[in-house]
Every structure is written in structure tokens, then in C-alpha cells.
Amino acid sequence: MSALVIYLMSGPDTPELAEAAVEGGADLVELGFPFSDPLADGPVIRQAAEQALAQGMRTVACLECLAKTRERVDVPLVPMTYASLLEAYGYERFATDAEAAGATSLIVADLPADERPDLRRIQLVAPTSTDERLELAAEQTDGWLYLVTLTGTTGARDDLSPHFAGLISRARALTDVPLYAGFGISTPEHAQDAAALADGVVVGSRAVEVAEEGPAALRDYVRSLRTAIDAAVPAIID
């Protein structure tokens, strides 16, 4: 059964929202730390980041949010941030403080696998990644490998990326680490199709949109994803 990862932007309501997501069936919650120039993010998450920054959600406040979220849930919590924030805060200091606040790992969206190899984190690869880069990321990654299934930014799409199956196939040939797929997955149908191939499914932009409607709406949405994923039939890739 594939894992379900839900992304939420850090903010005053995030601990309650994370609890609702877990009640709906999320296996892991990814907590976005807002950044003023998030290159990997589309309009929904960019807007959420702007709102969070307007609410005063800087790195220290986000770490406090992480700690409050940890008090409510017992699933893995993974901050998602950018290298500039860690440069400003201090890489080692951030790693120490995040772990103390309850983080189980870390994602740095714009930090290549061959930079800061001492920083324990989940690595990302994309359809444009070479086999050499993919293999390096798999060797360096913490627990699972994040497959960015499309070229471009985060955001809901009408269909799964046409590059998805090929990226999964390449990754399976190079590594045995669990493969989690994200970017462009927004509907239960998307989640089910992705779960047929991947070990985990990451849902971000649509979860952030639904979270604006409150914890109950998010719980129901996550439950619909969970039901679809649990019904997925594993596919065989040639």
C-alpha cells in the first residue's frame, strides 16, 4: 500500500490542519517554510507563502509551528524549505533545531545532491535528471526518493505527467529505495494512478487549497485520496 504525503504551508492554523489530515489518512505531513522566491512552487503555494510571510511566519515561527504540530500528530513531519533560508539561519543550527522541534527529515528544494552531503535530507529528482544524478540522489537520500514527475512548478494538472512512468522505470532500475511521486497530483484518480506505480504519493497544491476551507474539508479530501490509494492495483512496468 502506497504512503500518502500531504503538504501544508506553515501558519497559525497548521497544527490543527495537520491533525485533520492525519485523521483523514495521511501517513506523513510535509510542512512548507515560506520563502519569498520559491522557484519550485506554482501560484497556489506561492500565494500561501505570501500569506504566511504576511502573518509573520519566519524560520523561528515555522519551527515553533513544527513543534506545535508534533504535539498533535505522531506521523513523520518533514519541513520543506529552500537553501537561502538555511544559509541565513545556519545549516547545522537548522538541522539541530528542526529535529528538536519534531522533524523526522528535511527537504531543501533547490539544494543539489552533491552539495552539503552532510545535511541529512530527502533528495529530489526530475524527468530531466540524468541516470548518474538519479543514482547519486538515491544514494544520498534519507529514507525515500522524491520524484518530481513533471518539468515545471507545483500545481494541479488535468492529468498525470506523461513523464511519470518513464521516471519510475528509470529509478527502479537504479535503486531499491522507496519512490514517492509528487507535483501535479490533485484528484483521487490521480492518486490512485500514481499509487499503482509509486511507493508514496505527495499531494501539495490542492491540499493547500482545500485547507483554506478548514480542517473538516481537508479531512474529507484526504480521506478521498486515502480511499483511492488503498484501491490501487500495482502496475508492472516493462
Side-chain angles (χ1 to χ4, degrees):
M1 182 176 68
S2 294
L4 174 58
V5 180
I6 295 297
Y7 172 99
L8 297 170
M9 182 61 67
S10 297
D13 299 332
T14 301
E16 184 181 6
L17 291 167
E19 186 174 31
V22 172
E23 290 171 352
D27 299 298
L28 183 153
V29 177
E30 190 180 331
L31 296 178
F33 280 36
F35 180 50
S36 58
D37 189 23
L39 298 178
D41 294 319
V44 170
I45 293 180
R46 280 179 176 268
Q47 183 176 0
E50 291 171 3
Q51 180 179 345
L53 289 171
Q55 293 171 324
M57 296 302 296
R58 304 300 188 267
T59 302
V60 171
C62 290
L63 290 168
E64 292 171 353
C65 174
L66 170 62
K68 291 176 182 176
T69 302
R70 172 52 70 211
E71 292 173 359
R72 286 178 173 257
V73 304
D74 59 4
V75 301
L77 297 176
V78 177
M80 186 280 193
T81 186
Y82 285 84
S84 292
L85 293 182
L86 300 193
E87 287 280 358
Y89 192 86
Y91 281 95
E92 292 183 7
R93 178 188 173 204
F94 184 90
T96 298
D97 290 355
E99 184 177 2
T104 49
S105 191
L106 173 66
I107 295 172
V108 188
D110 58 346
L111 190 63
D114 54 357
E115 293 186 24
R116 291 270 175 186
D118 56 317
L119 183 66
R120 177 173 155 265
R121 64 190 189 274
I122 295 161
Q123 301 286 351
L124 295 90
V125 295
T128 53
S129 299
T130 63
D131 284 356
E132 181 182 18
R133 177 64 59 171
L134 201 158
E135 198 165 16
L136 174 64
E139 290 172 356
Q140 297 276 6
T141 202
D142 181 28
W144 50 275
L145 189 61
Y146 194 142
L147 305 186
V148 176
T149 62
L150 48 80
T151 54
T153 59
T154 59
R157 306 293 201 277
D158 292 333
D159 301 294
L160 284 183
S161 168
H163 304 293
F164 176 39
L167 181 58
I168 283 273
S169 181
R170 289 174 55 215
R172 293 279 189 220
L174 294 168
T175 181
D176 293 327
V177 302
L179 307 176
Y180 286 26
F183 283 53
I185 299 172
S186 60
T187 69
E189 292 76 20
H190 290 165
Q192 187 172 71
D193 289 346
L197 296 172
D199 303 300
V201 177
V202 186
V203 180
S205 294
R206 183 57 186 154
V208 169
E209 287 182 322
V210 175
E212 291 290 327
E213 302 172 26
L218 181 62
R219 185 185 303 112
D220 290 345
Y221 171 64
V222 174
R223 188 174 290 126
S224 73
L225 297 172
R226 177 81 269 166
T227 299
I229 288 171
D230 290 348
V233 177
I236 298 175
I237 304 176
D238 295 329

